Every structure is written in C-alpha cells, then in structure tokens.
Amino acid sequence: MELEKLQNAKKLFFIALAIDVAVTVIDIGSGVWAIGAMKDIESGVRTGDPSLASSIDFWASFSGIMILTAIGVGLGLVKWLKSCYQFSKESLHATGFKQEGWTIAGWIIPIFFLFKPYQVINEIYRAGSPTYNGGDDWKKGSGSSLILMWWVFWVVTHLIMWILGKEMFKKALHHDADFTIPQIIGMYEVQAWICVTSIVVAGLWFVVANHLTQRLVDRSSRYALKPSTSASTKTAPIFSGQYTVQKAPAVAELTNKKTPPTDAKFAMNNQPPVNAMPGNAIESDQKSMQEIEDRLYEQIAQEIETNAVDKAIWTKAFAQAGGDDKQTRVAYIKARFEKLMAAEKVKLEALQLEREEIARCKQEQEQERRERDLKEFERVRKLNQRVRLRGLSESDEVKDLEVSDESPNFIARCSWGDLDFLAASIKKNPLFLLVRNGSGNAGLHIAVITKHLDIAKFLAEEGALVDVCNGDGKSPIDLAKESGQADLAAFLQQFSED
C-alpha cells in the first residue's frame, strides 16, 4: 500500500534527522566545554596537560560521527522524496513530473544543488493541490512562498557553513601553524554556531516533510481520480462541488439483494444526522442486541445506496484504505456501525436510568405510604387507649394500683425525667397514666410542674388525661399556662375533650 510506504519513509527520515540532531547537540556541548577549558588556560586557572588534550580529542571525534549521521539523513531524504513521487503517481494518478530524476543528483552536483532540490520539493507540493482532477493538471497550481523562503534560508545557511568549514579545514591542514589560544577559541565558537544552525535547519526539515506528506495524504482522502471499472464493483459517484469524491458502493454488493437504481444527486452534505434513528429504535428491553445490530446494518446499507454516507467517516476510511474501493467500504461500514452502536448504547443507558429512577420513585412512594399507615395505626391505637383510660379513671383497678408500692415510684420517675422507665411501665400496665399521689397529682401533673417537657408530651401522647384536676383544682393544662409553658399548654390542649 502506497500510503503505508509513504508514512514509513517519512518516519525513517525523521529518525535519521533525530539522530543527527542528538549527535550535533553532543558536539555543541563538547565545543562549549573545550571553549571553557581554553579560557581557563588563557586566564591561568589551569594548565594544559595530556589528559586535557585526550579529552578534547575524544569529544572532537563526534565531528566524524556527524559525517555519518549526515549521510544517513541524506539517504532518508532521498527515500522520502521517491516515496512522495510514487504516492503521487499511484494514489493521486498525477503525471508529467520533470524533476523526479533529480531526487539524488540534485543534491550533489555543484551549482545544480542551489535550485534543483527546490524544484523537486515544489513539484511534490503542487502535486498535493486539491484543485485538479488528475493527470498533469497539477501544473496549473502555484507553489508555496513559505517553502521558497525556507529554501532560500537553507541555501544561504549552507553556503555560510560551507565557507566557514572550508576555512577551518585549511587551518587544520597547516600543522606547522602556531595557533594562539584566542584563535583556537574562535574556531570552536565558529564550529558551535555551525552546529546550532544545522539544528535549526533539521528542525525546519521536520516541518516541511510533515507538511508535504500530510498534504498528499489529505488530497488522496478527499478526491478519487480514477473510478473503478470492475464489473463486480458497481458504484455510484458522489459529487461535492466540481470535484468527484470517492464513490459509494451500490447497496446490492453489500446485501446481495435486488435494489432500485440509485440517484447520484444525493450528495454527502444531504446525509442524515448520525443519531437520526427511527422513532421506534428502542421500543423495549425485550429487543435483543442482534435485532439492534441488524437494524443498524440495514441503515448503513441504505445510506450507501442513497449516497447519504457520513462524509467524515467515509473520508477517513478512504485515507486508511489508501484509495482502495473495497477496503474503503469495509472500513466505512465498521466505523459507521461503531458510531451508531455507541449512540444506541447511550439511548439504552438513558432508558435504563429512567427505569431505575421510576422504580426508585415507586419504592419511595411505597415507603412513604407504609410510614403514613403506621402513623395512622399508632394514632388510632393511642386514641382508643385514651378512651379506654378515661373510662377506667375511677375504677377499682386504678385505686388498687395507687395504693401499691409501684405507684409512688412511677410518680417519682416522672419528676426525675426517666423516660425509659416510664415507657416500660406504661407498656406493662397503661393504668399507671391514671394513678395519682396524695395531692391528687398524676404523673402528667408532676412532669409539667418539674418542666420535663419531653416527659409531659410522652405521657399525653400515651393517653394521660390532660384535663383532670389535682387537689388544688388545677389540670396539667392550667399548670402549664401558669408556669409560662405556653407551647406545652397548646400541645396538651389538642388532647382535651373541652
């Protein structure tokens, strides 16, 4: 596949560039270290010795490695340029290239290397133009001013580096020359600046190569220039403006069903929204996943039949398939199905959440109903107990209980506020609510007098008589009003029969 070859060539070129940059950075670092050492010798901080000379020679060896990395960059560059031409001819069906033969010679022949490489790159740039329909029509397109500026920069910097390198080489050949330390420092500084410039140039190569490669790939993914003539691949073209877009297959090929003729006037920009599903797409949880999948595949087939495919997915599938019609259709069906299924799952999850919310609300309502029923049952129970207690207030059972040892203890516990003891006693014998002491005070009277609000309310709710009077003719309600407990008096008043 030409697309894969092009991408691999670009990666190989980038790897060679990265290695070259790494070695250059090391060379810059060694040069900076050598400059520092020379300055220390010049200032008298240190003296020259064999170990220093050995270190300088060791780091200087990286200059030789840079020659090898430069060769690697050159080989990677040539391979990438050849892949660009091959991709343009095979995938874009471009013809009429004149500079392809200079992909190697243009970099090494004197004088020609000043303009031939630019012409090669300019041809590749124009071949990626989205405004032509194949053949040599790409020649009508204009070049890039930015690439021209980049090439001028490339030529100027390399001429400067060539001149400086030539001068340094001449001086290095004069072994008998007596170099001063400042001259040596100057040579290292020039070398460092050459390396820095080389890194800048390499960085620009990353940008240019990536841009040109992506331009070719984008052009191939947007337009198909050579329609398929295979009898087994019946396709209907899809139009977008004045350019013919990669064609969608007839639905008969995908479903093996007889289908009515398609109409080419259905364009990509008339495609239905991604989530435009039938209204009954998810009717109930009884639908199996297989039924949903069958419906989605049927929808995709209908999209392809009417040429209403998803433009973004189709373009991406075409790019991934390198322009192959069958692989494009297969990739589109897979990607489109995944997208539709994702939307379907979102709907199913939303439906499930809705059902869970309904179930939760029903459960809460049922719990509230049970609580209301329980409260109503308790209210009726206490009301019946109050009626029963009122009828037994003067009974012999109450009188017998009042003279027992338990009655004074119950009255005393009311004054102490011992709620647990009182609740247990009333549960054992409700008649404790009616017993009174020698002053005629029942437990409720005592709770109001001692201002045990919680005890008073508890006794009243359990059925204690709120309007029965003590020896002084005062009811619990009267005592609450007199002691300034207006809220308690109002609470007790609701249990009064008056």
Side-chain angles (χ1 to χ4, degrees):
M1 188 182 297
E2 296 302 327
L3 176 60
E4 184 177 358
K5 291 180 180 179
L6 177 61
Q7 296 288 11
N8 290 337
K10 186 190 75 170
K11 291 179 181 178
L12 182 63
F13 180 38
F14 281 5
I15 291 173
L17 280 173
I19 295 174
D20 183 66
V21 169
V23 174
T24 304
V25 170
I26 295 175
D27 192 61
I28 292 174
S30 65
V32 172
W33 172 80
I35 290 173
M38 292 295 104
K39 288 184 177 181
D40 288 343
I41 294 174
E42 184 180 22
S43 61
V45 175
R46 64 185 301 178
T47 59
D49 51 49
S51 62
L52 177 61
S54 298
S55 298
I56 293 177
D57 290 339
F58 171 77
W59 290 112
S61 63
F62 276 92
S63 299
I65 298 177
M66 289 177 61
I67 298 176
L68 298 178
T69 59
I71 294 175
V73 170
L75 295 176
L77 173 61
V78 170
K79 182 175 178 59
W80 169 70
L81 291 174
K82 285 184 174 294
S83 297
C84 288
Y85 273 117
Q86 189 67 22
F87 183 83
S88 299
K89 291 186 292 184
E90 295 294 331
S91 298
L92 308 184
H93 311 289
T95 59
F97 292 119
K98 294 182 179 181
Q99 308 299 330
E100 184 177 3
W102 291 93
T103 52
I104 298 177
W107 299 94
I108 58 179
I109 299 178
I111 305 301
F112 284 89
F113 65 70
L114 296 177
F115 56 90
K116 278 301 179 182
Y118 168 74
Q119 292 177 342
V120 171
I121 293 173
N122 189 51
E123 266 193 346
I124 295 173
Y125 177 86
R126 294 164 68 189
S129 173
T131 59
Y132 79 101
N133 293 320
D136 60 356
D137 193 48
W138 58 269
K139 296 179 181 180
K140 298 178 182 179
S142 59
S144 170
S145 57
L146 290 177
I147 290 184
L148 178 59
M149 293 172 59
W150 161 77
W151 180 253
V152 172
F153 171 79
W154 190 92
V155 171
V156 171
T157 53
H158 279 72
L159 285 175
I160 294 175
M161 287 191 294
W162 179 73
I163 294 172
L164 294 176
K166 183 178 179 181
E167 291 299 320
M168 291 179 60
F169 184 72
K170 287 181 179 180
K171 291 181 179 180
L173 290 177
H174 297 162
H175 297 289
D176 56 342
D178 187 13
F179 291 109
T180 63
I181 291 180
Q183 288 176 330
I184 296 175
I185 293 175
M187 292 176 63
Y188 274 115
E189 290 177 344
V190 171
Q191 181 182 357
W193 280 112
I194 291 175
C195 291
V196 171
T197 306
S198 176
I199 291 176
V200 174
V201 172
L204 292 176
W205 264 120
F206 278 106
V207 176
V208 172
N210 185 69
H211 174 67
L212 291 181
T213 302
Q214 192 61 43
R215 182 177 170 87
L216 295 177
V217 173
D218 290 343
R219 189 236 182 273
S220 69
S221 65
R222 293 177 60 187
Y223 304 98
L225 304 175
K226 184 179 290 185
S228 174
T229 57
S230 174
S232 63
T233 309
K234 298 181 180 180
T235 58
I238 302 174
F239 297 97
S240 177
Q242 69 184 66
Y243 310 114
T244 305
V245 186
Q246 166 63 28
K247 300 174 296 174
V251 69
E253 180 182 354
L254 299 174
T255 61
N256 294 324
K257 297 179 181 179
K258 293 184 179 180
T259 57
T262 59
D263 190 350
K265 69 180 181 179
F266 289 96
M268 280 185 177
N269 51 11
N270 290 328
Q271 64 182 357
V274 172
N275 295 329
M277 305 293 178
N280 60 347
I282 306 176
E283 295 178 352
S284 67
D285 56 356
Q286 297 179 352
K287 277 199 169 186
S288 67
M289 187 59 65
Q290 184 61 46
E291 292 174 335
I292 296 176
E293 291 179 357
D294 292 343
R295 177 172 54 78
L296 295 182
Y297 280 122
E298 183 178 353
Q299 177 181 341
I300 295 171
Q302 185 177 5
E303 290 178 357
I304 298 176
E305 176 188 3
T306 59
N307 301 322
V309 297
D310 186 297
K311 186 175 181 180
I313 297 178
W314 186 270
T315 302
K316 185 177 180 181
F318 180 74
Q320 292 175 343
D324 184 83
D325 289 346
K326 291 185 178 180
Q327 292 186 17
T328 297
R329 291 192 292 274
V330 172
Y332 174 79
I333 293 172
K334 290 181 179 179
R336 180 64 170 157
F337 176 80
E338 290 178 358
K339 190 170 185 177
L340 293 176
M341 181 57 73
E344 202 75 20
K345 288 180 178 179
V346 170
K347 291 182 179 181
L348 290 173
E349 291 175 358
L351 181 61
Q352 181 63 25
L353 290 175
E354 181 179 356
R355 291 175 175 174
E356 290 177 356
E357 180 66 17
I358 293 174
R360 187 186 63 80
C361 291
K362 288 183 178 180
Q363 185 177 5
E364 291 180 352
Q365 292 174 358
E366 180 65 19
Q367 182 65 23
E368 290 177 357
R369 184 188 65 79
R370 291 177 180 176
E371 292 177 355
R372 288 195 303 268
D373 292 346
L374 183 60
K375 289 181 180 179
E376 180 64 18
F377 174 80
E378 188 66 14
R379 187 187 68 82
V380 173
R381 184 188 69 79
K382 290 182 177 180
L383 179 61
N384 292 335
Q385 180 169 292
R386 185 182 303 280
V387 172
R388 174 174 173 274
L389 290 174
R390 187 174 295 277
L392 294 174
S393 60
E394 300 296 334
S395 66
D396 292 338
E397 294 178 74
V398 174
K399 292 179 180 179
D400 293 339
L401 186 59
E402 285 178 345
V403 297
S404 68
D405 295 335
E406 295 178 290
S407 178
N409 189 27
F410 180 86
I411 299 295
R413 297 288 183 141
C414 291
S415 66
W416 299 348
D418 192 346
L419 182 60
D420 293 337
F421 176 84
L422 297 176
S425 299
I426 294 172
K427 185 177 181 180
K428 179 181 178 181
N429 188 355
L431 295 180
F432 276 113
L433 294 168
L434 301 177
V435 297
R436 292 188 284 180
N437 60 16
S439 301
N441 289 315
L444 181 56
H445 288 87
I446 299 301
V448 173
I449 294 173
T450 56
K451 296 185 178 182
H452 285 298
L453 182 62
D454 57 336
I455 300 299
K457 288 184 176 182
F458 170 74
L459 295 176
E461 289 175 344
E462 290 297 317
L465 304 181
V466 299
D467 46 12
V468 64
C469 296
N470 59 12
D472 297 329
K474 302 293 181 71
S475 68
I477 297 176
D478 296 332
L479 295 175
K481 291 179 180 179
E482 292 177 358
S483 60
Q485 301 179 73
D487 292 341
L488 177 58
F491 178 84
L492 297 178
Q493 188 67 47
Q494 64 180 320
F495 300 104
S496 174
E497 292 186 356
D498 295 339

